[in-house]
Amino acid sequence: MKKKVLSVLSLSIAFWMNAQEKDSLNKNKIEEVVITGQYTQQSINKSIYKVEVIDAQQIKNMAATNVADVLNQSLNIQITPDTRSGNSTANMMGLDGNYVKVLIDNIPVVGDTGLGSNIDLTKLSLNNVERIEVVKGSMGVEYGNGAVAGVINIITKKSNTRKVSVRASLQEETVRDNYDLKKKGNGRHIQNLNVDYNIDTNWFANVSLNHNQFMGYEGESKGYKYFERDNKRGFEWNPKDQYDASALIRYSKNKTSFYYKLSYLYEKFNFYNPEVNRIPLNDGMGGALYESIDREYNTKRWGHQFNIQTHIGNIRYMGDFSYQNQDRKYHDYNYDIPNRAVRISREDRSYYKTDVIYSRGMFSNFLNNKTFDFQLGYELDYTDGYAALIAGDFFGEAVKRKIFTYSNFLSGEWNISDRLSVRPGARLSVSENFDNQFNYSLSARYKASENSNIRAVAGTANRFPTYDELYTYFVNINHDVQGNPDLNPEKGFSAGAFWDQNFTANDWKIAYSINALYLDVRDRIEMVLVKDPSTYKYMNMDKYRNMLFSANVDFRKDQISLSLRSSVSGTSVSMNGLYHASPTDYQYLVQAGASANYKLKSAKTAFALYYKYTGPGRNYVLESEATGFRLGKTDDFHMMDFIVSQPFWKDHMELSVGVKNIFDVTSINTTATAGTAHTGATDRLNLYYGRSYFARLIYQF
């Protein structure tokens, strides 16, 4: 194993050291632009926020299949998979998906527990993605509820320079050592199609289709055909099948542009029960029926989005209007394992259903003045739906909900000089369920030189309690777990300083950055024991603090690019139990990453290497009310991918092959997880299903 890794590294270093040819694409590179947190589309160098961008070329080089795959390469973002539900959410700055706002084209994505929060990133395909923008820190003024740890904004393509453009691809992957093309076989099978059409100079249309089929990974389990009664039936990673499609029509002329986009997602997820029941047939011959009660989950999501950008006199207006709905259903069935037949199938039950009407509007350029501008905006979110109590267990009946939130926000941008710009901002959010929330921000950018920028950002954000935290009611002879309708929203504050510098030396383009960010979250909501022996309730009890220091450097010359990244984060959590309080000292986590890309000029063969190291993690967990808190540890691990791509047939076709997760990471040891009111702690943390190999064929016209 070590020899293979060293061989890959040696090959990559050799390409890097020996490259002498010039990349003509770099000579006229268009300046990168961003929209996250901006008044309008803005050059990344002039952005007042520190925005990390993963562009389409980087995404293509990674051979990623969904947003989760891409973000797994980023430092301080850990994708946390739930192998039972099939969901994978983003953990940012140590906080889970409830604190990270996920957007598509500035519109929050509808999810199970809220708008834009706790989003399953494996449900977001990359078929028509132009870039992914990430901003860390509290962004409550710009993006409201849930933007506590940061924002992930997925920008889709809405234009093309060609009259007609067709892009189709097939990608086949092993799942560790399993692969089979057959319908009931193994592996991952991905197909997508994207068609762009410029109807005329003003009208543009796009259609995108994607299918991602994951056949599951058995691991230490024995698969769905196994019927020994030893709890080894099923999969460590359960199978799921996804279809998504979108269609867009866009109009642009003079200072007005608008588009309408329709999107649809369908996902089927199979859970195979490890418990096998033996039912005697009483046939006098000792015959028996072996069956399990399995479950199939189905998710359907529709999205309608309309965006308009225009001018009313000198005033610039940008409006987003969206209607989204998501329905997650399940049905149980008795499966006769030896005969491979469904014996009894129960009706579908909807356990998460959400209908959202959302609108966000922004007015700017009131003064038509380059020195000072201000922006006035509004945001409204009307959510109607319900969630089963403790989804996945389905005790009791689902309780319906209707939540309406309205916000106004105001910010001003003052260009004090050619070098210094500042932007203060404030937001007032009004909700029928909670007290009014006030958020503020203050950002500044100082242009130290033509190639150097210093940014300072401070801001707040709140997180409203989720539906489960408010209304859970799970009471039986062994448990008493209840939500709390009187919970207060959590309050987050962040402050950061960022320095970026780039220069050229001996034809090398070098860019580096040094960043520091502090995050403080108060009134954190946790489930705590309020009465012995088993009465639990959600309460505003804890405090959370995180300090993040990072440094990055990028080298580019001709056909070569090399990126090195590092970070240290420290986390302090104040937790309270019925009889104990946790220590509040900081526990530190070290991460490092690197990527190298090289392209042969004559053959156009491209090589890409991605590496990420995550050091050992430590955090306090409540072992029991009798013994109090202990310091738990999670093992470190290494991730590495290597991809080779070769275009041919006048660049209309491209073949890519590679290996992902070279170090064969699956699960890691941990003593840093605590049991909940109704589940025990685990000593293994599932992260990936191990090393896999893939081949991808792309056709472009």
Side-chain angles (χ1 to χ4, degrees):
M1 171 64 195
K2 290 183 179 178
K3 290 182 179 179
K4 291 181 180 179
V5 174
L6 288 172
S7 298
V8 172
L9 282 171
S10 299
L11 179 65
S12 303
I13 292 170
F15 286 136
W16 178 71
M17 294 295 292
N18 291 299
Q20 297 294 328
E21 302 296 332
K22 291 190 176 181
D23 182 359
S24 60
L25 293 177
N26 286 336
K27 291 180 182 178
N28 300 305
K29 186 176 180 181
I30 298 172
E31 192 171 17
E32 200 165 33
V33 296
V34 293
I35 66 171
T36 305
Q38 312 303 313
Y39 285 4
T40 185
Q41 185 168 276
Q42 179 70 275
S43 160
I44 191 170
N45 290 324
K46 296 179 181 178
S47 166
I48 205 159
Y49 287 102
K50 172 67 174 179
V51 183
E52 301 171 28
V53 177
I54 307 168
D55 62 30
Q57 186 61 47
Q58 291 173 287
I59 293 170
K60 180 184 174 184
N61 291 346
M62 291 178 187
T65 60
N66 54 54
V67 172
D69 290 347
V70 174
L71 294 178
N72 248 333
Q73 297 289 349
S74 300
L75 298 195
N76 306 301
I77 298 179
Q78 179 63 46
I79 303 302
T80 307
D82 183 341
T83 56
R84 182 183 176 93
S85 71
N87 288 353
S88 294
T89 57
N91 180 304
M92 187 182 291
M93 297 187 69
L95 292 171
D96 63 33
N98 284 311
Y99 300 84
V100 181
K101 194 96 171 203
V102 179
L103 318 166
I104 296 180
D105 295 323
N106 265 343
I107 296 285
V109 181
V110 65
D112 298 338
T113 59
L115 189 63
S117 299
N118 213 30
I119 301 301
D120 176 17
L121 298 176
T122 66
K123 288 187 174 71
L124 305 179
S125 72
L126 300 165
N127 190 28
N128 195 39
V129 172
E130 181 177 281
R131 64 187 184 275
I132 299 173
E133 299 178 359
V134 179
V135 180
K136 295 184 178 75
S138 297
M139 297 280 288
V141 171
E142 287 79 8
Y143 294 105
N145 171 49
V148 177
V151 170
I152 299 168
N153 197 0
I154 301 155
I155 312 301
T156 60
K157 298 175 183 175
K158 305 174 191 69
S159 64
N160 198 314
T161 56
R162 303 181 62 180
K163 177 70 175 179
V164 179
S165 176
V166 178
R167 183 180 186 275
S169 72
L170 298 173
Q171 185 163 324
E172 295 292 312
E173 293 189 16
T174 67
V175 175
R176 208 173 192 195
D177 53 356
N178 297 330
Y179 177 74
D180 196 327
L181 262 176
K182 289 188 275 185
K183 184 177 180 181
K184 295 294 183 182
N186 300 310
R188 186 188 290 274
H189 317 290
I190 304 115
Q191 312 91 41
N192 58 58
L193 173 68
N194 191 79
V195 180
D196 294 337
Y197 179 48
N198 279 300
I199 302 169
D200 58 29
T201 55
N202 303 124
W203 290 93
F204 170 81
N206 166 269
V207 175
S208 179
L209 307 170
N210 187 72
H211 176 220
N212 190 334
Q213 185 179 35
F214 174 64
M215 304 305 296
Y217 174 62
E218 293 176 3
E220 298 298 322
S221 299
K222 303 294 185 180
Y224 75 98
K225 299 177 182 179
Y226 184 77
F227 56 91
E228 294 293 331
R229 302 177 67 200
D230 54 8
N231 286 326
K232 291 186 177 181
R233 179 179 180 263
F235 295 79
E236 281 188 8
W237 293 74
N238 287 293
K240 64 178 177 179
D241 200 6
Q242 293 176 348
Y243 294 85
D244 65 85
S246 67
L248 176 140
I249 185 76
R250 179 175 183 264
Y251 173 83
S252 179
K253 187 175 181 180
N254 300 328
K255 294 183 178 181
T256 298
S257 67
F258 61 82
Y259 68 83
Y260 166 74
K261 182 169 68 174
L262 172 67
S263 59
Y264 172 74
L265 167 79
Y266 171 76
E267 179 186 87
K268 180 175 76 172
F269 178 80
N270 298 98
F271 172 72
Y272 294 100
N273 197 334
E275 297 181 10
V276 177
N277 300 316
R278 183 183 186 276
I279 304 173
L281 295 177
N282 299 319
D283 56 1
M285 301 176 63
L289 175 70
Y290 291 85
E291 73 169 21
S292 283
I293 300 176
D294 294 334
R295 176 168 288 172
E296 180 181 298
Y297 296 87
N298 292 286
T299 302
K300 291 183 180 180
R301 177 194 293 163
W302 285 95
H304 303 264
Q305 179 180 349
F306 178 77
N307 170 276
I308 183 169
Q309 300 183 47
T310 189
H311 283 69
I312 307 170
N314 290 325
I315 299 173
R316 185 187 303 117
Y317 169 70
M318 182 172 71
D320 285 299
F321 305 87
S322 174
Y323 169 69
Q324 302 178 66
N325 68 70
Q326 177 173 287
D327 193 0
R328 301 194 68 180
K329 296 181 179 180
Y330 77 95
H331 73 269
D332 292 333
Y333 56 94
N334 294 49
Y335 188 70
D336 181 346
I337 305 171
N339 294 311
R340 311 284 189 269
V342 175
R343 212 167 58 81
I344 303 172
S345 183
R346 295 167 179 80
E347 66 178 359
D348 283 350
R349 291 190 62 184
S350 179
Y351 68 98
Y352 269 134
K353 182 174 173 59
T354 308
D355 288 271
V356 178
I357 297 173
Y358 174 88
S359 179
R360 184 171 186 256
M362 295 176 292
F363 300 85
S364 60
N365 200 41
F366 287 89
L367 305 178
N368 195 25
N369 188 312
K370 293 182 178 180
T371 301
F372 181 78
D373 190 14
F374 68 94
Q375 180 185 72
L376 177 65
Y378 74 88
E379 183 180 52
L380 64 86
D381 161 20
Y382 177 78
T383 301
D384 185 8
Y386 53 80
L389 306 180
I390 304 187
D393 294 332
F394 308 108
F395 291 94
E397 293 298 321
V399 179
K400 294 184 178 180
R401 59 177 176 178
K402 289 185 179 181
I403 300 174
F404 177 74
T405 305
Y406 178 81
S407 304
N408 277 117
F409 53 94
L410 173 68
S411 66
E413 188 163 313
W414 181 19
N415 296 311
I416 298 174
S417 68
D418 292 339
R419 292 180 176 271
L420 179 62
S421 300
V422 296
R423 184 196 292 181
R427 170 187 285 244
L428 176 65
S429 299
V430 179
S431 172
E432 58 185 354
N433 299 78
F434 307 101
D435 292 337
N436 295 346
Q437 299 296 305
F438 179 76
N439 289 303
Y440 63 88
S441 65
L442 178 62
S443 308
R445 181 181 72 92
Y446 178 69
K447 185 178 178 181
S449 70
E450 194 63 32
N451 299 308
S452 177
N453 286 287
I454 299 172
R455 294 176 174 87
V457 180
T460 65
N462 61 270
R463 183 184 80 86
F464 291 130
T466 66
Y467 192 68
D468 289 343
E469 292 165 344
L470 291 169
Y471 302 120
T472 289
Y473 186 81
F474 178 25
V475 178
N476 59 24
I477 193 171
N478 297 314
H479 302 88
D480 185 346
V481 183
Q482 298 185 35
N484 184 357
D486 297 322
L487 288 171
N488 295 316
E490 297 181 359
K491 299 175 180 62
F493 166 80
S494 71
F498 314 91
W499 178 37
D500 299 282
Q501 171 84 41
N502 64 81
F503 59 93
T504 301
N506 297 324
D507 294 330
W508 282 96
K509 295 179 180 178
I510 303 172
Y512 59 87
S513 63
I514 300 173
N515 312 303
L517 185 61
Y518 171 77
L519 176 66
D520 188 313
V521 183
R522 298 180 180 272
D523 291 334
R524 282 198 73 197
I525 298 169
E526 293 289 346
M527 182 186 293
V528 296
L529 181 70
V530 293
K531 183 179 180 182
D532 277 333
S534 58
T535 302
Y536 291 84
K537 191 174 184 178
Y538 285 101
M539 299 186 70
N540 294 100
M541 293 290 291
D542 298 344
K543 297 178 182 179
Y544 179 92
R545 291 176 292 173
N546 181 278
M547 295 187 300
L548 173 63
F549 303 94
S550 64
N552 308 314
V553 59
D554 297 299
F555 302 91
R556 180 182 291 271
K557 181 180 180 181
D558 304 329
Q559 308 291 106
I560 313 165
S561 65
L562 176 67
S563 175
L564 303 173
R565 310 181 305 277
S566 64
S567 73
V568 178
S569 63
T571 301
S572 167
V573 183
S574 169
M575 295 182 290
N576 295 277
L578 187 61
Y579 306 114
H580 302 275
S582 70
T584 57
D585 54 312
Y586 279 88
Q587 300 299 321
Y588 292 93
L589 174 70
V590 175
Q591 289 189 318
S595 64
N597 291 268
Y598 172 71
K599 188 174 184 179
L600 296 172
K601 186 176 182 180
S602 56
K604 298 183 180 179
T605 308
F607 303 87
L609 180 74
Y610 299 93
Y611 169 77
K612 179 180 177 180
Y613 169 71
T614 300
R618 295 176 176 82
N619 60 273
Y620 289 100
V621 294
L622 181 62
E623 188 166 34
S624 71
E625 285 293 344
T627 59
F629 287 87
R630 61 173 173 80
L631 185 62
K633 178 183 176 182
T634 301
D635 283 354
D636 62 341
F637 62 96
H638 303 260
M639 291 294 298
M640 183 182 285
D641 300 342
F642 182 65
I643 301 105
V644 181
S645 301
Q646 177 63 60
F648 58 96
W649 193 27
K650 297 181 179 179
D651 294 342
H652 289 307
M653 304 283 284
E654 182 179 273
L655 176 65
S656 299
V657 295
V659 54
K660 298 181 179 181
N661 195 351
I662 291 174
F663 294 103
D664 199 25
V665 178
T666 54
S667 59
I668 57 176
N669 296 315
T670 181
T671 59
T673 60
T676 67
H678 47 90
T679 59
T682 178
D683 61 355
R684 298 291 293 175
L685 182 63
N686 273 342
L687 292 177
Y688 312 99
Y689 47 75
R691 186 186 305 114
S692 63
Y693 301 88
F694 78 91
R696 179 186 65 190
L697 183 65
I698 298 175
Y699 168 76
Q700 299 180 91
F701 171 77

